[in-house]
Every structure is written in structure tokens, then in C-alpha cells.
Amino acid sequence: MLKRRVWLLSALTISVVTVAAVANGASSFLPNLFSFPDPNGVLKTYSSTGTIDLTGPFFQSLGTNGRSCASCHQPSDAWSVSAAHVAARFEQTNGLDPIFRTNDGSNCDHNIDTTTVAGRRQAYSLLTGRGLIRVALDLPARAEFEVVGVRNPYACNDTSTLSMYRRPLPSTNLRFLSTVMWDGRESSTQTGTQPITFATDPGDLLSDLAHQALDATNGHAQATTPLTPQQQQQIVAFEMGLSTAQAVDSSAGSLNSLGASGGPMTLVNQPFYIGINDPLGQNPYNTAFTPVVFTLFTPAWVNASATDAIAASRASILRGQKLFNSKPIDIKSVGGLNDATGLSVIPGTCGTCHDAFNVGNHSVSAPLNIGIADVVNPLDVSYLPVITLRQKADPTKEVSTTDPGRAMVTGKWADIGKFKGPILRGLAARAPYFHNGAAASLKEVLEFYDVRFDMKLTDQEKADLVAFLTAL
Ligand code: HEC
Ligand code: HEC
């Protein structure tokens, strides 16, 4: 028993430790729909298997460095990790919690001193400051480009294995995925995994997730013996049963009261199939695309509110939903869209790219380059490496990027800087945002879009969109 509690302390954050305490110290279960406080209210997860068993393989140390999946996928943080909670974990453990490991938790795996607290503070600064994990990938065989040089602020300058810095994606709401990982590398023929298609989903998704669990254990947890097929199945079944969303907003109250359908329970029955709402005509039933992607909050929800303050917050969330569904965006120079369609300007909305109903990821696999990895960027990316690539076919073409993204899977020049549009639920619990954590807040996300697409958003529109995203 003592052993298990020590393990609980080291493997999970403060919040889960609190849960254990609440449940009289002896519980190894998280009650279903447990309330996790986050900066804007309460986050909840529904598990189709009933309670969340904190002793299952997802929570076990299955490798050699003490990490479990939960080291980086925390129930309190919408099954990702918020940078704030990682920083708190550092302070609580003096940087000794298993998330702080040099294989991929530190800024680089060499040129560091982890023998002192001060040394560790420096070595893990990207993890505590931005919640970033170092993803090291080999240059794909037969890539259309070569690496001219790498300027990595932390000395990881290798040009055959590139170090990139990425946020853990939530290991929840996985039923809606159209591709696994930011760059889709666990759903790609190049890696021996399966693209997720209408015809083969969910078999392809389940096998990709099983492969992903194996890779994660070998990589992040430095396993010397691979997961058994049974452990893989248990992890996948567990993850697939999770539905997570913001349930209570600190200003607007319960997000599923009076006819609104926020919170995790409505996600459980949310219809989805690959291509359910695709702007480029990939719906398998030829159903037309609609930009009205989110329908969680209805006018009735606002009118019926009890107090003025609550009514005002609800009205703001509702306006934000409407802006998401209708505010025009001139989509320009987006790799994967403008080049794919041959249109220099695509009149769109947020939902052109975040099109899956009430979930917000792209309903077909669509790696897009909106410029988050660009060296010259409305966001501060000065903490990231500069990787310079040269096209083999035309050596006059050179590009510098902080992360080649999908191109490190396909080897294609055209795929440089492309990433998937992620699921937009449980956002409040898992700042910062984008694959590289460059937006510290949802406000910064909106400021990025405002500049990048010259949207001319008013302060009120930004505030409404932030209120809406926070309530997801
Ligand atoms: C050291 C931190 C860390 C650990 C430990 C870890 N992950 Fe992750 N996980 C990440 C990061 C970072 C990403 C995104 C990387 C990328 O896309 O390049 C990710 C992505 C994922 C995704 C993809 C979700 C999506 O939307 O595509 C799943 C699923 C996942 N992890 C499950 C697991 C499981 C299961 C385990 C345990 C076997 C695990 N992870 C262990 C950091 C971690
Ligand atoms: C042209 C396509 C496109 C449009 C338009 C678009 N997005 Fe995105 N969005 C993406 C992609 C791709 C990513 C992931 C980018 C990355 O991290 O490299 C993303 C990421 C995000 C994230 C971060 C999620 C996370 O987990 O970190 C948020 C929030 C978001 N978008 C909200 C919006 C809102 C709100 C709008 C409308 C104002 C919008 N997006 C318009 C493509 C788009």
C-alpha cells in the first residue's frame, strides 16, 4: 500500500494526489466526472469504463525511467500537461519527478547539468516554461531536402536527427481523431502505420493508437522490453473510453444548464465519421460543408439566465460561438489549402480548418501550414531552434523553420511546417497552445490569427472568442 502511494505521488500531479486524499488515502480510483479545477472553472472527464482506474497500465511505470503515460497526460490537464502544473511539479519535487528526464524532457540531452536544482531548472526550462517535450526524429530516407544547418539554443545541433519541441496532445476524445500526432506520424504508411479513412475507421485508429502506445513506452519511458499486445489493448481501450470537456465556467456557471450542451456528456454521443464536414468535398455521402461547426450554446441558454453577471458571461460565450462559426477569414498562403486548391484567397472561417462538429479538429487528415513554425512569426519563437533546409531538386530554394512538421514523416518539401488542426476541447486546462506552445494564452492564439489573417478583430470580438474557447 505504502509503495503504491509513493508511486501515486511521483506519477501524478497535485490534483490527483488530492483526489487520493479525498477518497480517504486508500483509493486508487478517480470517480467518474470528477471535478478538476482549472484557471477558468471546472474540467470533467467521463470514462465509459466507469471510474478511472489509477492502477491501470496507463498509470504504471512500464519502462525504465519511472514515467507512465500519465507523467505527460494528466487527467486534471485535459490529459495533456499545462506548463503551470509542470512548473509546480518541478518545485514540489526539486525537478526529480519522472517527467524530468534527460532523454526528452530536457531542452537537450547533452551539455546539461542535472546534479543540482539550479542545473535542473535550466535544463528543463522549456518543459516548465512551455510544457514542451523534445521530439527527436531522423531525417526521412529519400527526403526531397537536405539539412543545411541547425542553430539550436541548447546545443542539440545534429543535422541527421532533428530535435523539435512539441506539446503533448490530449489522450482523450480520441474517437474523433483523423490522424495521430501533430505530424500524423502514427497514421502514415511511411512509418508502417495506417492513415485513418472513412472506410477503415475505427480499425485503423485502434491499430495506430496501439502502435503509438508501444512507441511512447519505448521512447518516453525508455522501455527495454516492449509492451505486450494485451497491455497495448488495455491502454487503447482506456484512452478510447475518455470524453473530456470544460463543464463549469467560473463566470457563466454550468455549461450544460438550460439547454446548453457543453461539458463531456454530450461528447459521448456526438456523431462523427471521417469527412463528416469537409470544406473540400470529402464527405463520403457528399453532404455539403457547413461553417456552423459548434452548436453547444443556444440563445435560450442566455435568455433564461438567473443573474446579470451570469447572463453577460453567457452572452459573450454565445457571441464567441457565433464568431467562430461565421466571422470571415481570408485564408492566404496556407500550405495544404491554398496550394491544394490553386486559390490564392479562400474565403473561410475558423471552421474551414476546425470542421468536426462540436470537437473542432479537421474531420479528414489535413496537414496545414498556418505559420506557427515560421522563424518570422507574430508569436515569439525565439526559444526554438532554427533549422535550415535546402531543396535537392532546386538548390536555390532554402527555407528556415523551427520545426519541419509533416515533412519529417513524408520527406516532401511541400510538407514543411504542416501540422494537424487539433481537437479544441478542454483548452482552459492545458495552456500553452499550438504545437510549440508559442501562445501562452487563448488571447495570444486570437492575436496570432488576427495578425496572420489580417482579421481586424475588435477587442470585444477577441474577448468573446476567448470566452467561447475557454468554455469548450
Ligand atoms: C514525456 C512525455 C510523454 C509521455 C510519457 C507520453 N506521451 Fe503521449 N504525447 C507526448 C507528446 C509530446 C505528444 C505529441 C508529439 C508529437 O505529435 O510529435 C504525445 C502524443 C500522444 C498522443 C496523440 C494524440 C493525438 O491527438 O494525436 C497519444 C494518443 C498519446 N500521446 C498517448 C500516450 C500514451 C498511451 C502514453 C504511454 C504509453 C504516452 N502518450 C506517454 C508526450 C508524452
Ligand atoms: C487555415 C486553417 C485554420 C484556420 C482558419 C484556423 N485555424 Fe486554428 N489551427 C489550425 C492549425 C493547423 C492548428 C495547429 C497549428 C500548429 O500548432 O502548428 C490550429 C490550432 C489552433 C488552436 C490551438 C489548439 C491547441 O491544442 O494548442 C486553437 C485554440 C485554434 N486553432 C483556434 C482557432 C480559431 C478560434 C480560429 C478562428 C479565429 C482558427 N483557429 C482558425 C488551423 C486553422
Side-chain angles (χ1 to χ4, degrees):
M1 197 65 239
L2 181 65
K3 212 173 169 189
R4 181 149 86 199
R5 264 193 260 157
V6 170
W7 164 82
L8 258 181
L9 269 166
S10 62
L12 301 172
T13 53
I14 325 140
S15 14
V16 174
V17 175
T18 319
V19 176
V22 167
N24 221 1
S27 176
S28 47
F29 288 92
L30 198 57
N32 216 349
L33 295 171
F34 183 80
S35 293
F36 283 107
D38 64 38
N40 298 90
V42 171
L43 177 93
K44 289 188 185 180
T45 292
Y46 173 79
S47 168
S48 63
T49 59
T51 52
I52 290 171
D53 178 5
L54 298 172
T55 65
F58 190 91
F59 298 91
Q60 290 167 15
S61 163
L62 299 170
T64 58
N65 61 13
R67 282 176 172 172
S68 70
C69 306
S71 299
C72 301
H73 298 281
Q74 299 257 311
S76 58
D77 298 8
W79 302 88
S80 171
V81 279
S82 76
H85 280 166
V86 177
R89 224 189 300 180
F90 187 97
E91 297 311 325
Q92 272 203 324
T93 64
N94 282 324
L96 295 173
D97 179 277
I99 198 173
F100 305 110
R101 294 289 180 261
T102 57
N103 60 315
D104 63 6
S106 49
N107 303 345
C108 187
D109 55 356
H110 56 270
N111 237 25
I112 50 173
D113 170 20
T114 53
T115 59
T116 63
V117 178
R120 290 195 288 277
R121 200 176 290 286
Q122 202 180 338
Y124 295 106
S125 66
L126 290 180
L127 184 49
T128 55
R130 308 254 177 187
L132 292 173
I133 295 295
R134 188 174 63 92
V135 176
L137 296 177
D138 292 340
L139 206 64
R142 295 182 295 278
E144 291 174 5
F145 50 87
E146 54 201 354
V147 181
V148 181
V150 176
R151 264 191 297 128
N152 181 302
Y154 319 99
C156 268
N157 285 314
D158 193 347
T159 52
S160 52
T161 303
L162 297 183
S163 286
M164 282 123 356
Y165 298 87
R166 298 187 187 161
R167 295 275 297 125
L169 282 157
S171 61
T172 184
N173 303 325
L174 298 178
R175 183 165 70 85
F176 303 106
L177 290 188
S178 54
T179 194
V180 180
M181 311 307 264
W182 284 107
D183 53 13
R185 70 182 179 281
E186 293 286 0
S187 308
S188 298
T189 46
Q190 290 88 350
T191 59
T193 51
Q194 288 187 52
I196 301 171
T197 69
F198 174 74
T200 53
D201 194 29
D204 43 20
L205 170 64
L206 296 176
S207 95
D208 289 351
L209 289 173
H211 190 273
Q212 191 281 336
L214 190 75
D215 280 351
T217 309
N218 293 340
H220 301 306
Q222 296 175 287
T224 44
T225 36
L227 291 183
T228 64
Q230 197 201 357
Q231 286 170 317
Q232 286 175 279
Q233 291 319 317
Q234 285 173 336
I235 289 175
V236 173
F238 170 74
E239 296 177 309
M240 283 291 289
L242 304 175
S243 301
T244 303
Q246 191 76 349
V248 179
D249 183 274
S250 41
S251 328
S254 169
L255 293 164
N256 67 353
S257 62
L258 304 167
S261 44
M265 291 314 294
T266 44
L267 268 178
V268 176
N269 297 314
Q270 175 65 47
F272 177 80
Y273 54 84
I274 294 296
I276 191 166
N277 188 34
D278 181 55
L280 300 184
Q282 290 192 60
N283 182 293
Y285 305 109
N286 296 320
T287 308
F289 167 75
T290 168
V292 183
V293 170
F294 281 93
T295 51
L296 298 173
F297 308 107
T298 64
W301 181 58
V302 173
N303 297 336
S305 301
T307 72
D308 287 351
I310 291 179
S313 305
R314 289 181 175 178
S316 175
I317 291 172
L318 187 63
R319 284 196 303 271
Q321 177 177 267
K322 195 170 176 204
L323 287 164
F324 189 99
N325 290 339
S326 63
K327 179 78 183 173
I329 304 179
D330 286 340
I331 299 173
K332 290 182 197 163
S333 310
V334 170
L337 272 183
N338 298 93
D339 50 355
T341 57
L343 299 169
S344 62
V345 182
I346 299 174
T349 57
C350 300
T352 308
C353 306
H354 298 283
D355 59 26
F357 295 121
N358 292 323
V359 182
N361 60 318
H362 209 95
S363 70
V364 297
S365 171
L368 301 176
N369 180 355
I370 60 168
I372 304 295
D374 287 2
V375 176
V376 179
N377 199 313
L379 296 161
D380 173 19
V381 290
S382 60
Y383 57 92
L384 291 170
V386 176
I387 299 164
T388 303
L389 309 172
R390 182 188 292 145
Q391 203 185 69
K392 284 180 183 162
D394 178 359
T396 63
K397 285 196 179 142
E398 259 186 35
V399 70
S400 289
T401 177
T402 61
D403 187 333
R406 179 88 182 133
M408 287 299 282
V409 182
T410 63
K412 291 205 166 80
W413 180 259
D415 285 344
I416 295 170
K418 287 184 184 170
F419 297 87
K420 74 167 171 180
I423 287 174
L424 302 179
R425 300 304 302 257
L427 288 164
R430 55 180 174 92
Y433 307 100
F434 294 127
H435 73 268
N436 54 16
S441 62
L442 290 168
K443 187 160 179 278
E444 285 189 23
V445 168
L446 265 305
E447 274 157 10
F448 167 81
Y449 282 114
D450 194 31
V451 173
R452 169 65 177 81
F453 294 108
D454 196 18
M455 287 180 70
K456 302 195 170 61
L457 291 170
T458 64
D459 286 350
Q460 185 64 56
E461 287 176 322
K462 282 185 207 165
D464 291 342
L465 274 161
V466 168
F468 166 67
L469 294 172
T470 300
L472 292 178

